[in-house]
Amino acid sequence: MSTDDALFDAPGPHEAGGAGWGVAPSSGDDVERVARWFTDHPDLEDRFSAVFRQSLDEVMDGQRTGRYDVSVLEKTEKTYLGTKVEIVCRAAFGLARGEKMDYRVCGVDVDAKFSLDGKWMIPREAMGHLCLLMAANDRESAFTVGLVRIREEILTQGGNQDHKRNISATGRSAIKWLFKNGKLRKNLLLGLDDATRNALENVSAGQSRVDQLFRQVHGRIVDRNAVVTAAKQLDAPKRVRDARHRLAPEGVIILGHQNESPRIAKALRLPVPEKGTWVAARVVPAPQVTDRPQVSIGDASYVVAEPTESRRPAPVIRY
Amino acid sequence: MSTDDALFDAPGPHEAGGAGWGVAPSSGDDVERVARWFTDHPDLEDRFSAVFRQSLDEVMDGQRTGRYDVSVLEKTEKTYLGTKVEIVCRAAFGLARGEKMDYRVCGVDVDAKFSLDGKWMIPREAMGHLCLLMAANDRESAFTVGLVRIREEILTQGGNQDHKRNISATGRSAIKWLFKNGKLRKNLLLGLDDATRNALENVSAGQSRVDQLFRQVHGRIVDRNAVVTAAKQLDAPKRVRDARHRLAPEGVIILGHQNESPRIAKALRLPVPEKGTWVAARVVPAPQVTDRPQVSIGDASYVVAEPTESRRPAPVIRY
């Protein structure tokens, strides 16, 4: 032992085994420092939400496959999802490559580890290094992100055939959580009730299914990915424009982010769409006396229709 | 043996082994029939080219990673590439799922098998079934597509740990080739000479690298993917518009598919860009006497500059 060693925590029995790693003197500080680098981003939750939303949507590839449930992915796709998250996260934060691990953050090597179920598989190469632990649960619209230094004592015994091991139940207490229950942007199609989803799946993919989506799903933000997944086609804006024409006789309006849309959405107390998203509603001319929010369009006032009110053609809107 | 068996080719020793499969009576016809279904597409080569180009570009993810060489992909990404080709090919031809294999084509199950090097790994489940064998070589800008029914006698002995086997050298003669040397749309960045590529990589990713690309690469079609890979950013058209402004003082024009561009490209004998592609050239006012192709822009005539001709500002073009 060199004299310097006396400054460190006494190594545990495994660490003394000469495996070539140990708890670095600054390990606790490194975790704090890297955590702070991330938490210094004021939009951190949105950024991670976008990383997971984008990664899940790209691998499900709804535009080609119509899939919106990550549980139906093939094994190779689930494995690849970890790589995709690593790539998208690197781009989202502009991270450099580490010397040995995926990223370099404040001069520290950090490995990216993604898992759908939060059971991260830690490879031997990560021993002694920091890991950015990431998980996303699309059904719960939730994600977790944490930082930990991989040490023998936080891992389970054994390991799988690739010699990867999990973080043990007690080892989890060593994780510095950035988000234990971060808000993942909703997967609209996955969150539909069974009746709505069945009705949707009974219509063949394409424009008709997009029409059906906007005929049924009202008052909720519908994003580009939901549209191309329903269509199994590119060009969501075109699908939406066509749906507007086709649903206008039924009184359905589909508001976007431009022109008259935001004003109408606000007045009707609907969510106001951002670029690349839409919100639909069925409207009827406002009754003479009503408590419902109203909006003037052209010469008349409109309200969101009650289910029992009969169909009236939609007003002409400058979308 | 039933009396029907006499109509078939005599089974080989392995086929008689009761493995539950054998050469179906219509196997030869099935291959021909499925091959004809594909070859009935008049744009078949372009479609397959687009399938491979799209799959390679998506998995390299140049916009986020700057990668343009499939050989640098990680193992999980190479494995996933086969799944991506299966998905993109299914979408390109509108194929239904097979009963047991990936696709159903003219009522026949067909499995999709992609390999970068044309050494397809055949799983046991494919035995007795048709396989659509696909390979793409990005350096050679070439692809192969073939159809074969998987039988014991076309496979190598042994197999890897997943019990997958290759098609043997003699077994390859059983492949019905649709394309032995199909033309894959070029990967511009991969095909650059070393000097050009080094100069490009010495500029940091972003608008400056896009500028450098159009400063150096003249007379060749540059596609959207090359632009976003050089930029490591989205929105290729914006990058190109900015490059036009920044390179105009150097005499560089970047033609697109609209307005004056096609006329100028034709007159200067440059390739004429389709939507989502561009072609650059450095131009100078035409000398009084010249053999070079000329084009009138505004009040003057222009020619493609020789390397020795000094810089003159580019004419104003309605792109």
Side-chain angles (χ1 to χ4, degrees):
Chain A
M1 266 196 177
S2 76
T3 50
D4 278 355
D5 282 329
L7 299 173
F8 306 163
D9 287 346
H14 279 94
E15 291 176 296
W21 48 265
V23 179
S26 58
S27 66
D29 291 348
D30 280 355
V31 168
E32 291 300 327
R33 208 145 47 89
V34 171
R36 209 172 315 120
W37 185 89
F38 279 104
T39 55
D40 276 350
H41 292 78
D43 58 347
L44 191 65
E45 187 166 12
D46 285 346
R47 276 207 208 202
F48 273 117
S49 168
V51 165
F52 300 126
R53 184 74 274 142
Q54 191 71 28
S55 300
L56 290 165
D57 288 348
E58 282 190 28
V59 178
M60 288 192 284
D61 201 353
Q63 163 201 323
R64 296 196 185 100
T65 67
R67 297 177 300 183
Y68 49 81
D69 183 350
V70 78
S71 72
V72 306
L73 292 182
E74 290 178 25
K75 190 161 168 289
T76 56
E77 294 176 302
K78 286 186 182 171
T79 306
Y80 173 73
L81 183 56
T83 309
K84 177 62 50 173
V85 169
E86 182 218 313
I87 290 171
V88 178
C89 182
R90 180 195 305 287
F93 291 98
L95 299 172
R97 285 201 171 274
E99 284 177 20
K100 292 180 176 172
M101 298 290 111
D102 295 324
Y103 306 144
R104 191 89 180 159
V105 183
C106 331
V108 181
D109 263 30
V110 178
D111 216 34
K113 280 280 157 273
F114 177 78
S115 156
L116 281 168
D117 57 7
K119 291 179 186 146
W120 299 281
M121 301 301 289
I122 309 297
R124 286 196 288 202
E125 309 84 77
M127 190 59 78
H129 290 285
L130 256 57
C131 272
L132 183 68
L133 304 169
M134 299 178 278
N137 186 327
D138 212 6
R139 282 201 183 274
E140 304 292 332
S141 304
F143 67 81
T144 56
V145 178
L147 277 164
V148 76
R149 183 175 296 278
I150 303 300
R151 293 169 297 148
E152 182 63 36
E153 55 275 32
I154 71 164
L155 299 179
T156 54
Q157 299 297 311
N160 71 0
Q161 72 273 33
D162 297 332
H163 306 288
K164 290 183 177 176
R165 291 190 281 167
N166 288 120
I167 296 176
S168 65
T170 55
R172 291 177 75 91
S173 64
I175 298 171
K176 163 88 181 171
W177 294 106
L178 303 184
F179 294 100
K180 266 200 149 170
N181 193 16
K183 201 170 159 188
L184 175 63
R185 185 150 61 78
K186 274 204 187 335
N187 179 332
L188 179 93
L189 296 174
L190 188 66
L192 295 177
D193 61 85
D194 290 350
T196 306
R197 187 166 46 239
N198 289 342
L200 206 56
E201 289 183 350
N202 280 336
V203 179
S204 59
Q207 185 64 47
S208 304
R209 192 180 281 173
V210 175
D211 299 344
Q212 186 64 21
L213 177 66
F214 285 113
R215 184 178 284 125
Q216 291 187 296
V217 179
H218 291 171
R220 296 169 64 181
I221 293 291
V222 176
D223 66 14
R224 180 195 162 281
N225 191 63
V227 175
V228 298
T229 301
K232 283 180 74 172
Q233 289 174 28
L234 268 174
D235 203 349
K238 170 86 170 103
R239 298 283 86 71
V240 173
R241 286 196 299 275
D242 287 358
R244 281 173 181 151
H245 289 297
R246 293 164 69 143
L247 298 181
E250 305 174 23
V252 174
I253 62 176
I254 309 174
L255 304 170
H257 74 290
Q258 288 176 306
N259 300 321
E260 288 193 289
S261 283
R263 175 181 73 83
I264 296 171
K266 271 177 224 154
L268 293 176
R269 315 264 169 86
L270 298 168
V272 181
E274 294 178 2
K275 193 177 177 191
T277 70
W278 298 272
V279 66
R282 186 168 76 87
V283 296
V284 289
Q288 295 237 292
V289 179
T290 180
D291 292 340
R292 284 178 268 175
Q294 302 187 32
V295 63
S296 301
I297 304 172
D299 296 334
S301 278
Y302 291 84
V303 294
V304 172
E306 304 281 0
T308 51
E309 287 174 306
S310 54
R311 283 184 181 185
R312 299 287 297 274
V316 175
I317 293 173
R318 279 190 311 106
Y319 282 111
Chain B
M1 268 195 176
S2 77
T3 51
D4 278 354
D5 281 330
L7 298 172
F8 307 162
D9 288 346
H14 279 95
E15 292 176 294
W21 49 265
V23 180
S26 58
S27 66
D29 291 349
D30 279 355
V31 169
E32 292 299 329
R33 208 143 50 88
V34 171
R36 208 171 316 117
W37 185 89
F38 279 104
T39 56
D40 276 349
H41 292 78
D43 58 348
L44 191 65
E45 188 166 12
D46 285 346
R47 277 206 208 205
F48 273 116
S49 168
V51 165
F52 300 127
R53 184 75 272 142
Q54 190 71 29
S55 300
L56 291 165
D57 289 348
E58 284 190 27
V59 178
M60 288 192 283
D61 201 354
Q63 164 203 321
R64 295 197 185 98
T65 67
R67 297 178 301 184
Y68 49 80
D69 183 350
V70 77
S71 72
V72 306
L73 292 183
E74 290 178 26
K75 191 161 169 286
T76 55
E77 293 176 302
K78 286 186 182 170
T79 305
Y80 173 73
L81 184 55
T83 308
K84 179 58 56 171
V85 169
E86 183 218 312
I87 289 171
V88 178
C89 182
R90 180 198 304 287
F93 291 98
L95 299 171
R97 287 202 168 273
E99 284 177 21
K100 293 180 177 172
M101 298 289 112
D102 295 324
Y103 305 143
R104 190 90 182 159
V105 184
C106 331
V108 180
D109 262 29
V110 178
D111 215 32
K113 280 280 157 271
F114 177 78
S115 155
L116 280 168
D117 58 7
K119 289 178 185 148
W120 298 280
M121 300 302 289
I122 309 297
R124 285 197 288 202
E125 309 82 78
M127 192 57 79
H129 289 285
L130 255 58
C131 272
L132 182 70
L133 303 169
M134 299 178 279
N137 186 326
D138 211 7
R139 282 203 182 272
E140 305 292 333
S141 304
F143 67 81
T144 56
V145 178
L147 277 164
V148 74
R149 183 174 296 276
I150 302 301
R151 293 168 299 149
E152 184 62 36
E153 54 276 31
I154 71 164
L155 298 180
T156 54
Q157 299 299 309
N160 70 359
Q161 72 273 33
D162 297 332
H163 306 288
K164 290 181 177 178
R165 290 191 283 167
N166 289 119
I167 295 175
S168 66
T170 54
R172 290 176 76 90
S173 65
I175 298 171
K176 163 86 180 175
W177 295 105
L178 302 184
F179 295 99
K180 266 201 150 170
N181 192 16
K183 200 170 160 188
L184 175 61
R185 184 151 63 77
K186 273 204 189 335
N187 178 332
L188 179 93
L189 296 175
L190 188 66
L192 295 177
D193 61 87
D194 289 349
T196 306
R197 188 168 42 239
N198 289 342
L200 206 56
E201 289 183 352
N202 281 335
V203 179
S204 60
Q207 185 64 48
S208 304
R209 191 179 280 172
V210 175
D211 298 344
Q212 186 63 19
L213 178 67
F214 285 114
R215 184 179 284 124
Q216 292 188 296
V217 179
H218 291 171
R220 296 169 64 181
I221 292 290
V222 176
D223 66 13
R224 180 196 162 281
N225 191 63
V227 175
V228 297
T229 301
K232 283 180 74 172
Q233 289 174 27
L234 268 173
D235 202 349
K238 170 87 171 100
R239 299 282 85 71
V240 173
R241 286 196 301 274
D242 287 357
R244 281 173 181 149
H245 290 296
R246 294 165 66 142
L247 298 181
E250 305 174 22
V252 174
I253 61 175
I254 309 173
L255 303 169
H257 74 290
Q258 287 177 307
N259 300 321
E260 287 193 291
S261 283
R263 174 181 75 81
I264 297 172
K266 270 177 223 154
L268 294 176
R269 312 265 169 86
L270 298 168
V272 181
E274 294 178 2
K275 194 177 176 190
T277 71
W278 297 272
V279 67
R282 186 168 76 87
V283 296
V284 288
Q288 294 235 294
V289 179
T290 180
D291 290 342
R292 283 179 270 174
Q294 303 186 32
V295 64
S296 302
I297 303 171
D299 295 334
S301 277
Y302 291 84
V303 295
V304 172
E306 303 281 0
T308 52
E309 287 173 307
S310 55
R311 280 184 184 186
R312 299 287 297 276
V316 175
I317 293 173
R318 280 191 309 108
Y319 283 112

